Amino acid sequence: MQEPVDSSPAADAPDTAAVPPDTNGARPAEPRDGGPRDDGQAEIDRLRREVRDLRGKLIAHPLIAQAQGLLQERYRLPDGAAAFELMKRCSQQHNLKLRNLASAVVSVPRPDDERGLWFPGRAGRTPPPLRFLPGHRPDKVNRSTVLKEVLHQALAFTEAPMGDLQTMEPSVGLRMEHHSGLSEEFLDFFAVVEEGTSCSLAARRRARVVSDVATDPAVSEPSREMILAVGSRTAHSIPMLSAAGRVVGVFSLHLPRAGQDLTRTQADALDGLAAQAGRWLEWHQRTVLLNALEDLHHRGRTLRGAPSRKRTE
């Protein structure tokens, strides 16, 4: 079967964890001198969010454009807009981000035109259980819900004031998915990570990494400066692995004191959480994502067989 290829918190800390996050998962800025939040700072934060969103779109745009070109050629579509509409419909139908579907279109070997299916002979897979999401059917739960809950529970287990979760995307690296307690500058800087951080090291080693941010030689100087600026002194990065040991993502917890370790109970809980999430994300990639590609192929073949307006005019 053809499948996507690989190249997708401290008890004595300031009580920022009790402050509700905004819609992007970041905590509001602290009041200055005990007074109301500075309007100028609020505007700066808003502009930074806009810049980060724009940069995210700029990163995704070449990937989506490449997928459009492939689909336009493959299904003889009249233009890139038709290819974009095809991807958009399939991403909505299967509750996938357009970026993730485009990444799969680009990275998965193209279908054999002699066959009606992109993945012939593919057997159905039973989704692994999600014990940290009781009451949710693992075959029905949304991917974003799973990722958010992983980070939420990791923060709760450790009482860490800050954390982030990234997923591995082919040809891109670790991409930021969810976060809590981190500054806009931090999120902008680490929107995509390839190396120079504890999370990239955890992904490479496929094991939990504890990093003394100020002294760890594996952390690049620009990354060190940015991580220290948010008040992180110890970072714990835990990889989420598939059953075969493939890295599908990493979540990191940021603690305010140097040398701040986790208890054995906390470490075991995080390892179990990462194992469940990793196996489920692998199932999602090999089931939901491939279903979406199969649907896209079916729709594309239908469009290819239909007479175009240009041909009939």
Side-chain angles (χ1 to χ4, degrees), residues 16 21 25-27 161-163 179-183 230:
T16 56
R27 307 278 173 188
M162 298 171 286
H179 46 83
S180 181
L182 298 167
S183 69
V230 298

Short mmCIF file of all heavy atoms in Angstrom, two decimals, residues 16 21 25-27 161-163 179-183 230:
data_model
loop_
_atom_site.label_atom_id
_atom_site.label_comp_id
_atom_site.label_asym_id
_atom_site.label_seq_id
_atom_site.Cartn_x
_atom_site.Cartn_y
_atom_site.Cartn_z
N THR A 16 0.37 31.99 36.01
CA THR A 16 -0.16 32.31 34.68
C THR A 16 -1.08 31.22 34.18
O THR A 16 -1.90 31.45 33.31
CB THR A 16 0.99 32.51 33.68
OG1 THR A 16 1.80 31.34 33.69
CG2 THR A 16 1.83 33.72 34.05
N PRO A 21 -6.57 31.23 28.46
CA PRO A 21 -5.89 31.58 27.22
C PRO A 21 -6.84 32.27 26.27
O PRO A 21 -8.05 32.14 26.38
CB PRO A 21 -5.45 30.22 26.67
CG PRO A 21 -6.44 29.26 27.23
CD PRO A 21 -6.82 29.81 28.59
N GLY A 25 -4.60 30.34 22.13
CA GLY A 25 -3.92 29.54 23.13
C GLY A 25 -2.87 30.29 23.91
O GLY A 25 -2.28 29.77 24.84
N ALA A 26 -2.59 31.54 23.56
CA ALA A 26 -1.60 32.33 24.28
C ALA A 26 -2.25 33.07 25.45
O ALA A 26 -3.40 33.45 25.38
CB ALA A 26 -0.95 33.35 23.34
N ARG A 27 -1.49 33.25 26.51
CA ARG A 27 -2.01 33.97 27.66
C ARG A 27 -1.98 35.47 27.43
O ARG A 27 -1.10 36.00 26.76
CB ARG A 27 -1.15 33.66 28.91
CG ARG A 27 -0.99 32.17 29.15
CD ARG A 27 -2.18 31.60 29.87
NE ARG A 27 -2.07 30.15 29.95
CZ ARG A 27 -3.03 29.38 30.39
NH1 ARG A 27 -4.16 29.90 30.78
NH2 ARG A 27 -2.88 28.08 30.44
N PRO A 161 3.62 26.11 33.50
CA PRO A 161 2.91 27.32 33.07
C PRO A 161 2.89 27.52 31.57
O PRO A 161 2.12 28.34 31.06
CB PRO A 161 3.69 28.44 33.76
CG PRO A 161 5.08 27.90 33.87
CD PRO A 161 4.93 26.42 34.10
N MET A 162 3.76 26.79 30.83
CA MET A 162 3.87 27.02 29.39
C MET A 162 4.09 25.69 28.67
O MET A 162 4.72 24.78 29.22
CB MET A 162 5.05 27.95 29.07
CG MET A 162 4.94 29.34 29.66
SD MET A 162 6.49 30.27 29.45
CE MET A 162 7.54 29.45 30.69
N GLY A 163 3.59 25.61 27.44
CA GLY A 163 3.84 24.42 26.65
C GLY A 163 3.44 24.63 25.21
O GLY A 163 2.72 25.56 24.87
N HIS A 179 -0.53 25.67 21.65
CA HIS A 179 0.40 26.28 22.59
C HIS A 179 -0.38 26.90 23.74
O HIS A 179 -1.59 27.13 23.65
CB HIS A 179 1.22 27.36 21.88
CG HIS A 179 0.39 28.27 21.02
ND1 HIS A 179 -0.30 29.37 21.52
CD2 HIS A 179 0.09 28.23 19.70
CE1 HIS A 179 -0.95 29.97 20.55
NE2 HIS A 179 -0.74 29.29 19.43
N SER A 180 0.33 27.18 24.81
CA SER A 180 -0.28 27.82 25.97
C SER A 180 0.79 28.57 26.76
O SER A 180 1.89 28.04 26.99
CB SER A 180 -0.93 26.76 26.88
OG SER A 180 -1.54 27.35 28.01
N GLY A 181 0.48 29.82 27.13
CA GLY A 181 1.36 30.60 27.98
C GLY A 181 2.57 31.19 27.30
O GLY A 181 3.46 31.70 27.99
N LEU A 182 2.66 31.17 25.99
CA LEU A 182 3.84 31.61 25.27
C LEU A 182 3.59 32.93 24.56
O LEU A 182 2.47 33.25 24.18
CB LEU A 182 4.27 30.54 24.26
CG LEU A 182 4.65 29.20 24.89
CD1 LEU A 182 4.73 28.12 23.84
CD2 LEU A 182 5.95 29.32 25.66
N SER A 183 4.65 33.68 24.36
CA SER A 183 4.53 35.00 23.76
C SER A 183 4.33 34.90 22.25
O SER A 183 4.64 33.88 21.62
CB SER A 183 5.78 35.83 24.04
OG SER A 183 6.90 35.30 23.32
N VAL A 230 10.92 33.95 27.43
CA VAL A 230 9.56 33.68 27.93
C VAL A 230 9.58 33.13 29.35
O VAL A 230 8.53 32.82 29.91
CB VAL A 230 8.80 32.70 27.00
CG1 VAL A 230 8.63 33.29 25.62
CG2 VAL A 230 9.48 31.33 26.95
#
